Amino acid sequence: MRGVQRRRADLRRHRLVAIRRAGTAERADRVDAVDQRVMGRQVDGANRFAGIRTGSATRSRNGPIVALRGTAATSAPAATGNTVTAVSFTMEFPTTPMAGAALAIVRRSEAEAIVNHSARSFFFAELLAIHEGLHHDSGYDRELLFAATVMHDLGTGALAPGRARFEVEGADLAAEVLAEHRVPQADIDRVWEAIALHTSPGIAERRGLLAYLTAEGSKMDIGFNAPVTASYQAAIHAAYPRLRMVRTLTDAIVDHAARSETAAPIYSMGQQFALERRESGATQLERLAAGLIPWGE
């Protein structure tokens, strides 16, 4: 328990120091309030799915990730039994036909800002997995993580029929892509669940490693767990610029919610965003982007 508390405090301290150095103490206080609510959920969520992980995988306690090679590679120790091996991060997508099809459908149907958000979510999820020592977990699969993170917002695109909430329709579209490439049904189900639950904090992290990383990767792109990405976010953003992502994604979610009553059921993100837009002209996410996200919207 003391280790979890120390990690939570370290994450808050790193963000506060960075923001205060920029001369924005008032915003730092707001970040602290947000982080106290959010970081505890993230750490506790990681612990919740620990029960389904193998004993050979342990979370990294060694602090920041260190550079390994080039400008976009990183390495961190990962425990496998009594042996410690290096785990590498690189800004390269999987090259399998399934991965290519996933990327193609996203590029064909989504706004460029959302495509870039999805790519960044994949890289941020990988960085989190390295940081927490999860790459050697039996539930870790890089290709499935790519499929889930890159296609997690398919429901906001042109191919979504607008009859169900965008998370579900995106999960259905992603499942079709995987089925066409003869991915085993059990893996299709894991990707479907990860996408369907990526806007459900408190649930996603209880549904296994893939769901946890998919949800966290997408949240990291709006600034959560920012210290994990600090050394690499500039290179990632240079390759996949934001292009006012928060506004573009919010517009797409609200537009999808307006397509039918069943597309925005009560308490869904679509319903909540549409309500906030009507009442105040901006969602909480848009206000968060304007005031708190380290790299803006």
Side-chain angles (χ1 to χ4, degrees), residues 35-268:
D35 279 354
Q36 288 190 51
R37 293 194 304 271
V38 175
M39 291 304 182
R41 183 173 67 239
Q42 292 175 332
V43 173
D44 292 343
N47 286 337
R48 289 188 191 108
F49 72 74
I52 68 169
R53 293 164 50 196
T54 64
S56 62
T58 58
R59 195 195 324 276
S60 170
R61 300 178 183 273
N62 297 316
I65 300 166
V66 296
L68 175 66
R69 64 181 188 275
T71 58
T74 184
S75 178
T80 55
N82 294 322
T83 303
V84 176
T85 59
V87 176
S88 298
F89 166 78
T90 181
M91 283 175 56
E92 296 178 0
F93 292 151
T95 58
T96 63
M98 184 273 280
L103 190 59
I105 192 173
V106 166
R107 286 176 169 164
R108 184 170 72 248
S109 64
E110 295 179 2
E112 184 179 3
I114 301 176
V115 175
N116 289 359
H117 159 65
S118 300
R120 292 191 303 269
S121 296
F122 169 63
F123 293 132
F124 291 160
E126 276 214 296
L127 286 170
L128 181 64
I130 293 173
H131 184 74
E132 295 191 342
L134 300 173
H135 266 65
H136 289 280
D137 188 281
S138 62
Y140 182 82
D141 185 308
R142 187 173 189 263
E143 189 175 11
L144 293 184
L145 180 61
F146 178 80
T149 51
V150 165
M151 294 192 287
H152 79 273
D153 280 330
L154 263 182
T156 67
L159 297 178
R163 293 189 294 270
R165 55 190 295 171
F166 83 92
E167 303 95 330
V168 170
E169 292 193 339
D172 288 344
L173 289 166
E176 291 176 7
V177 173
L178 301 185
E180 288 172 1
H181 287 81
R182 299 185 179 181
V183 173
Q185 186 61 49
D187 289 339
I188 294 175
D189 290 344
R190 289 173 61 200
V191 171
W192 189 96
E193 188 173 53
I195 294 174
L197 294 177
H198 82 270
T199 63
S200 300
I203 300 176
E205 59 264 35
R206 290 175 177 256
R207 298 305 303 155
L209 183 55
L210 182 61
Y212 168 70
L213 290 175
T214 300
E216 295 305 307
S218 66
K219 288 194 297 184
M220 288 168 74
D221 195 42
I222 57 170
F224 294 116
N225 243 339
V228 174
T229 69
S231 297
Y232 304 96
Q233 64 88 7
I236 292 171
H237 279 107
Y240 300 94
R242 298 193 71 80
L243 306 177
R244 303 187 72 183
M245 179 277 295
V246 172
R247 177 71 59 85
T248 302
L249 180 58
T250 302
D251 287 344
I253 292 172
V254 171
D255 289 346
H256 183 275
R259 296 176 66 181
S260 70
E261 289 187 6
T262 53
I266 190 169
Y267 303 128
S268 67

Side-chain angles (χ1 to χ4, degrees), residues 12-22:
R12 291 203 306 272
R13 184 167 58 255
H14 286 316
R15 295 189 73 196
L16 290 169
V17 168
I19 294 173
R20 286 185 172 123
R21 283 177 178 171

